[in-house]
Amino acid sequence: MAVWVSAGGCGLLSPIRGRLRAGRAAVLAWRVPLRAAGTGPVYDVVVSGGGMVGSAMAAALGHDVHFREKKILLLEAGPRKVSGRLPESYSNRVSSISPGSATLLSSFGAWDHVCSLRFKPFRRMQVWDACSEAMIIFDKDNLEDMGYVVENNVIMSALTKQLDAVSDRVEVLYRSRAVGYTWPLTCHLSDTSPWVKIDLADGRRLETKLLIGADGQNSMVRKAAGIQNIHYQYDQSAVVATLHLSEATDNNVAWQRFLPSGPIALLPLSDTASSLVWSTSHEHASQLLSMDEESFVDTINSAFWSNLHHSDFIDTAGSVFRSAISLLMPSGTAARQLPPSIARVEPKSRAVFPLGMGHATEYVRHRIVLIGDAAHRVHPLAGQGVNMGFGDIACLTHHLSTAAFDGKDLGSIKHLLQFETERQRHNLSLMAAIDLLKRLYSTSVAPFVLLRTWGLQTTNALSPVKEQIMSFASK
């Protein structure tokens, strides 16, 4: 049997609740995949999209003990990324990896490879408002790592290595693009195929019992399946860059300040370097991109240090409220730290990309699943984008592994719906919270500033609430 991961295509017809059992006698050697009369090879799973989420999905299934007799195909439109020595300079595309995501990557050996290459743990997060003195600090009493900042190319190198380790079970087709799909009927007829058919640009045709769409925010799989995607563009773009600090420090704090134009974040890369993610208006983003280096560095330092947006009224009201909280909960306050000063920007590391939000109304159809950005897209202010995708993988792998162990049809809507329910509950809650924060902090109107000031100060004083937030975000 074969599993294929492809870049596009999902079932369009209504789900079935019955189960088809795969014949165990049909398990063939990898290089002789199952064929139906007049058709191409039939795979157990096809994953569409070979980015971080798609590659991790294929690797997780390939290393799963209950998928040893299954065959998986990963379909990627781009070329194979050659993993040589890492360059001395850091990439400007990084991800904040939660402990839960690190656990997933550890489950099939990828995290060990990440650790052997390059990553930076952080043990504290400080978030504060540019319009007041309000702040919130997240840390753990036992000084455990709260998360890890990893370059995307390092993650991809680790995933490629783990895919190579199971090349007998997971085939990867690079420079392969799907151009058409034929969806199976929910009630199989004798003269039709029960599987999803995928036509490739080079003329080949393949079939799969389950198609996993991991092909990004413009998912071809989602569009071809006719699954509605509710989305809108924010009035912001994100500017990213690699920055060098004025002096070496432990640099184990992730910093974020909410400016009226959008949040600016500084993520540690090493003792002397950090990664910038600045969400701001499209016009300001263009200005930041075209500035000379000295002006760019001065603008960043000012964004973290300036009190230009403060007002006496808000500062006084916040100070009185903070004093009251200190009397009621003296152990609930934490000391403010000062962010590092930036000395220079890595040449040619500045880049910009638009921001938006999106959510597929359905994650599953008959023999189709959407994961990662194909199913949901969020603002980067909470650093949860790829973690939500890795959470999808952990949940889906669990349900598919159980189905394989029980001899059930992998494309059955029954366990796919269980995956959808679990992930939508988590993802929608997180997306709503992120969107609310984005909107709440996009204004400097006094009543809203006062409201969020008191809210942030109260939350910062309530350790159990902060622990719940950290627990939810780390999944």
Side-chain angles (χ1 to χ4, degrees):
M1 305 177 79
V3 179
W4 184 32
V5 182
S6 145
C10 334
L12 178 60
L13 301 175
S14 57
I16 58 170
R17 299 188 180 277
R19 294 181 290 177
L20 299 174
R21 294 189 177 274
R24 297 185 183 277
V27 177
L28 304 179
W30 170 243
R31 299 190 179 277
V32 189
L34 178 65
R35 291 178 183 271
T39 68
V42 178
Y43 294 89
D44 293 300
V45 179
V46 170
V47 180
S48 169
M52 289 191 292
V53 172
S55 295
M57 183 76 250
L61 293 178
H63 285 266
D64 189 273
V65 64
H66 300 137
F67 268 72
R68 285 179 177 172
E69 294 183 342
K70 308 292 184 185
K71 297 303 174 182
I72 305 161
L73 179 64
L74 175 60
L75 188 63
E76 166 55 26
R80 177 186 170 97
K81 295 176 177 62
V82 180
S83 55
R85 288 187 59 186
L86 280 175
E88 290 186 13
S89 59
Y90 288 88
S91 168
N92 62 358
R93 299 305 299 268
V94 305
S95 294
S96 176
I97 300 300
S98 69
S101 294
T103 298
L104 169 73
L105 296 174
S106 296
S107 69
F108 54 86
W111 189 247
D112 289 340
H113 189 51
V114 168
C115 294
S116 71
L117 292 173
R118 195 159 65 189
F119 77 112
K120 179 66 175 178
F122 58 91
R123 296 178 175 176
R124 182 182 175 108
M125 288 180 62
Q126 181 170 301
V127 182
W128 72 109
D129 194 339
C131 296
S132 74
E133 293 292 334
M135 70 168 184
I136 187 168
I137 294 174
F138 296 100
D139 55 14
K140 296 185 177 181
D141 293 337
N142 53 9
L143 297 180
E144 289 182 3
D145 297 335
M146 288 193 60
Y148 313 89
V149 180
V150 189
E151 297 156 275
N152 291 357
N153 58 353
V154 169
I155 296 175
M156 282 304 305
S157 176
L159 294 173
T160 301
K161 182 176 182 179
Q162 294 312 108
L163 285 170
D164 290 343
V166 287
S167 58
D168 58 327
R169 296 179 225 167
V170 182
E171 181 183 2
V172 184
L173 292 182
Y174 294 103
R175 301 183 185 275
S176 297
R177 183 171 57 88
V179 295
Y181 306 92
T182 303
W183 312 113
L185 297 172
T186 54
C187 298
H188 176 51
L189 304 177
S190 59
D191 59 344
T192 63
S193 171
W195 319 129
V196 176
K197 294 181 181 179
I198 306 169
D199 295 312
L200 302 183
D202 61 8
R204 284 181 291 176
R205 167 170 281 197
L206 305 130
E207 298 187 53
T208 181
K209 298 174 182 179
L210 176 64
L211 176 61
I212 300 176
D215 47 345
Q217 65 188 48
N218 296 314
S219 172
M220 291 175 58
V221 174
R222 187 187 65 233
K223 293 176 182 176
I227 296 176
Q228 184 181 2
N229 185 49
I230 300 172
H231 65 97
Y232 56 86
Q233 294 297 116
Y234 287 123
D235 55 350
Q236 292 179 336
S237 292
V239 175
V240 296
T242 302
L243 307 176
H244 295 272
L245 309 185
S246 298
E247 58 183 3
T249 69
D250 288 340
N251 204 20
N252 57 10
V253 180
W255 310 89
Q256 181 161 267
R257 192 182 196 194
F258 281 99
L259 304 168
S261 59
I264 181 171
L266 203 58
L267 305 175
L269 292 173
S270 71
D271 289 349
T272 58
S274 290
S275 182
L276 171 76
V277 183
W278 190 345
S279 302
T280 187
S281 68
H282 302 305
E283 181 182 3
H284 189 221
S286 298
Q287 294 172 358
L288 291 171
L289 218 58
S290 60
M291 283 180 184
D292 61 77
E293 179 178 334
E294 184 177 355
S295 298
F296 183 68
V297 169
D298 288 345
T299 303
I300 294 170
N301 284 325
S302 176
F304 277 108
W305 290 80
S306 173
N307 290 330
L308 175 66
H309 301 288
H310 280 222
S311 74
D312 292 339
F313 168 70
I314 297 295
D315 285 347
T316 301
S319 177
V320 171
F321 191 75
R322 186 169 60 251
S323 298
I325 290 178
S326 299
L327 290 174
L328 295 172
M329 292 173 285
S331 61
T333 57
R336 177 191 296 268
Q337 286 184 246
L338 299 178
S341 177
I342 307 304
R344 63 185 180 91
V345 58
E346 181 70 26
K348 299 181 180 179
S349 69
R350 277 181 273 181
V352 64
F353 55 91
L355 301 178
M357 177 181 176
H359 190 261
T361 56
E362 300 168 84
Y363 289 4
V364 304
R365 289 275 182 89
H366 179 47
R367 303 203 177 281
I368 302 165
V369 184
L370 300 178
I371 61 174
D373 284 359
H376 40 73
R377 178 189 180 198
V378 295
H379 194 286
L381 69 86
Q384 288 299 308
V386 74
N387 291 310
M388 291 170 67
F390 287 154
D392 293 344
I393 294 170
C395 182
L396 183 57
T397 300
H398 167 73
H399 287 291
L400 292 181
S401 179
T402 301
F405 176 75
D406 293 338
K408 296 178 180 178
D409 176 14
L410 295 178
S412 168
I413 197 66
K414 184 175 181 180
H415 50 262
L416 297 184
L417 284 173
Q418 293 175 340
F419 157 80
E420 180 184 67
T421 299
E422 290 179 29
R423 290 311 294 167
Q424 282 192 344
R425 284 175 179 169
H426 179 272
N427 293 339
L428 283 170
S429 299
L430 190 55
M431 291 176 70
I434 292 172
D435 187 63
L436 177 62
L437 284 174
K438 187 269 176 191
R439 297 179 185 281
L440 183 61
Y441 280 91
S442 294
T443 179
S444 56
V445 177
F448 290 101
V449 174
L450 192 59
L451 176 66
R452 71 195 190 206
T453 295
W454 290 343
L456 203 60
Q457 289 173 332
T458 302
T459 305
N460 190 50
L462 298 173
S463 296
V465 175
K466 291 200 293 183
E467 289 173 4
Q468 287 295 318
I469 295 172
M470 287 189 288
S471 175
F472 186 79
S474 67
K475 292 180 180 178

